[in-house]
Amino acid sequence: MTHNNKIRTLTAGLLTGGIFALSVTFLLSPKQEFSDNENRYLAKAPTFGWEAIKSGQYMEDLSSWLSDHFPFRDFFMGLKADTEIALGKREINNVYIADDDFLIEVYEAPVNTERIADTFHKFYEKIDTERIDTRLMLIPTASFIYADKLPSYAPTRNQMDTAEAIYDKAGIPSIDCTSFLLNASDTEQLYYRTDHHWTTTGAYQGYLAYCEAKGLTPVSLDNMEAETVTNEFYGTIYSKVNDYSLMGDSITIYANPEDSLTVNYTDTKEVTDSLYNLNYVDKKDKYSLFLNNLHTLIEITNETAESDRELVLIKDSYANSLVPFLTHHYKKIYVFDTRYYKEGPSSFIKEHPGVTDVLLLYNMNTLDTDSGIRGIY
């Protein structure tokens, strides 16, 4: 056997052995249901059936299952991301590798602006505006506030142009926190580097905008108790890029020592005196420590509030880190997630004559695809 033939035989043997080893590993290794790194449920093994085979769905589902459970998948995904970044690539899975180690999602062109504005307007028509002060706050995300950190070739779409169009058609008095965020953007970290949410510092800027619009005196951060509960938060955008060389984010929480809270999670019947579930600090989805993740309706009572006013808050997850600042001003806050609350907050408001204020709060990045919008009335 010649030298070249030996090399070919050895190469073929190594490749065959590698494929065999990966196949055995795939067959014998336990299959995960959930990927912590990607923060999503993995594909399940497809059900064999003639109709599924005929339609092509079986092969599509099989491909997804094989891809999701490939041996050492996290390692290879991280290696791929590191290689692309080392070669100068600044965009992975619609996420830009921005300055100062920020990962910033592309703001996709919205397609549901008219429908969303119309839904907000229909909700507003059901509110007794003489009795209830209703406001709408649409929050810009990092791609707008930190646009200067993006590569020069990144697509630029003005989120707040869309927000203004929604404000105009909805007819609900607006609270624009954009100027507060822009003014603080040079000195404060307003968004997590690895996640799509604003930080508690960013949420505080939203709170300041709310207080100014409502004529409230904001509680100073100096009068609140701050605690950094983790320095190892790797959020949803990190899960799309899988650049394992990035450092984690810090999460700081605030509590007002003057507040005396009772927090009732009506769906699970859990009652506590805290707005935080610190069990999530030890999990991948650490942002869920705010308001204990997802709940249909949360009733928050503050016995030492500065007024007897009651607020209905209809929101997405951005509001979860804002609520701790609002509690000082309201005897009761009702927090709705209309993706899961099916009775309609407008009916709830009519049945609760103590409600004096309503705030609808959504971020511009996920607003266009938020399935809960159509359930607000």
Side-chain angles (χ1 to χ4, degrees):
M1 181 180 294
T2 66
H3 178 69
N4 287 340
N5 285 337
K6 288 181 179 180
I7 292 176
R8 293 191 189 98
T9 302
L10 178 61
T11 302
L14 290 174
L15 288 173
T16 302
I19 293 170
F20 178 76
L22 287 173
S23 300
V24 171
T25 302
F26 176 82
L27 292 171
L28 297 181
S29 62
K31 304 298 183 287
Q32 292 179 286
E33 291 186 3
F34 187 82
S35 169
D36 284 336
N37 278 335
E38 297 174 75
N39 197 31
R40 69 176 180 90
Y41 286 95
L42 300 177
K44 295 181 179 180
T47 302
F48 186 85
W50 172 244
E51 289 299 324
I53 293 175
K54 187 167 64 172
S55 68
Q57 188 63 48
Y58 179 80
M59 293 306 297
E60 184 177 328
D61 292 345
L62 180 63
S63 176
S64 297
W65 180 64
L66 291 171
S67 174
D68 275 3
H69 299 279
F70 189 84
F72 313 113
R73 184 170 184 271
D74 287 345
F75 169 77
F76 286 115
M77 289 177 64
L79 181 62
K80 175 178 178 290
D82 289 342
T83 301
E84 290 179 335
I85 292 169
L87 293 173
K89 188 171 182 180
R90 300 282 300 276
E91 185 270 324
I92 299 173
N93 293 332
N94 287 330
V95 174
Y96 281 93
I97 316 298
D99 293 344
D100 301 325
D101 288 335
F102 273 84
L103 303 177
I104 299 180
E105 284 184 294
V106 173
Y107 175 58
E108 303 287 354
V111 296
N112 295 309
T113 300
E114 289 290 322
R115 176 182 63 79
I116 290 168
D118 186 59
T119 301
F120 285 146
H121 181 69
K122 289 178 179 177
F123 170 82
Y124 191 49
E125 288 184 319
K126 294 189 174 186
I127 300 299
D128 180 357
T129 55
E130 292 188 4
R131 179 175 66 88
I132 300 171
D133 184 11
T134 303
R135 305 295 179 102
L136 173 62
M137 183 189 290
L138 301 177
I139 304 164
T141 60
S143 65
F144 181 85
I145 300 298
Y146 287 152
D148 60 327
K149 296 183 184 296
L150 287 165
S152 59
Y153 53 83
T156 55
R157 296 186 182 92
N158 192 323
Q159 294 178 348
M160 302 320 292
D161 285 347
T162 304
E164 287 299 329
I166 294 173
Y167 286 144
D168 289 344
K169 184 167 184 179
I172 303 174
S174 64
I175 299 176
D176 186 359
C177 63
T178 307
S179 61
F180 285 81
L181 290 165
L182 287 172
N183 288 339
S185 62
D186 288 337
T187 57
E188 305 286 352
Q189 183 181 338
L190 304 176
Y191 298 86
Y192 295 108
R193 290 179 297 99
T194 68
D195 191 70
H196 69 284
H197 290 101
W198 57 5
T199 62
T200 42
T201 305
Y204 186 74
Q205 295 302 317
Y207 164 69
L208 293 178
Y210 181 82
C211 287
E212 181 178 274
K214 299 281 286 184
L216 302 172
T217 301
V219 179
S220 170
L221 287 181
D222 293 336
N223 294 332
M224 301 190 76
E225 296 173 348
E227 179 184 3
T228 298
V229 295
T230 182
N231 295 308
E232 298 180 346
F233 173 40
Y234 298 92
T236 54
I237 310 180
Y238 171 88
S239 299
K240 294 181 179 181
V241 174
N242 295 297
D243 178 7
Y244 301 144
S245 67
L246 290 173
M247 294 181 61
D249 277 300
S250 298
I251 297 180
T252 300
I253 61 175
Y254 291 90
N256 189 335
E258 295 182 0
D259 291 346
S260 177
L261 302 179
T262 301
V263 184
N264 179 14
Y265 299 98
T266 60
D267 50 358
T268 61
K269 311 301 182 187
E270 181 184 359
V271 179
T272 180
D273 61 356
S274 175
L275 297 167
Y276 308 103
N277 181 352
L278 296 185
N279 291 328
Y280 282 100
V281 170
D282 298 322
K283 300 180 180 180
K284 171 67 167 60
D285 187 17
K286 298 183 193 312
Y287 187 83
S288 290
L289 65 88
F290 295 102
L291 294 189
N292 194 23
N293 203 358
L294 304 176
H295 293 275
T296 54
L297 171 60
I298 307 170
E299 296 183 7
I300 304 167
T301 304
N302 185 7
E303 296 296 341
T304 57
E306 68 176 14
S307 75
D308 289 329
R309 298 180 71 85
E310 297 184 6
L311 170 69
V312 164
L313 174 58
I314 303 168
K315 56 82 185 181
D316 63 20
S317 56
Y318 263 56
N320 291 14
S321 54
L322 177 67
V323 167
F325 303 119
L326 294 174
T327 53
H328 182 70
H329 305 285
Y330 293 97
K331 186 67 170 286
K332 272 190 175 291
I333 299 180
Y334 302 97
V335 183
F336 288 88
D337 189 328
T338 53
R339 290 172 297 178
Y340 310 104
Y341 185 86
K342 303 305 181 184
E343 287 77 13
S346 59
S347 299
F348 178 93
I349 292 167
K350 288 181 180 178
E351 295 165 2
H352 290 74
V355 172
T356 57
D357 300 83
V358 173
L359 173 62
L360 300 102
L361 185 151
Y362 291 89
N363 81 88
M364 289 304 299
N365 195 43
T366 59
L367 175 68
D368 198 63
T369 56
D370 195 308
S371 60
I373 297 292
R374 65 189 63 191
I376 69 173
Y377 67 92

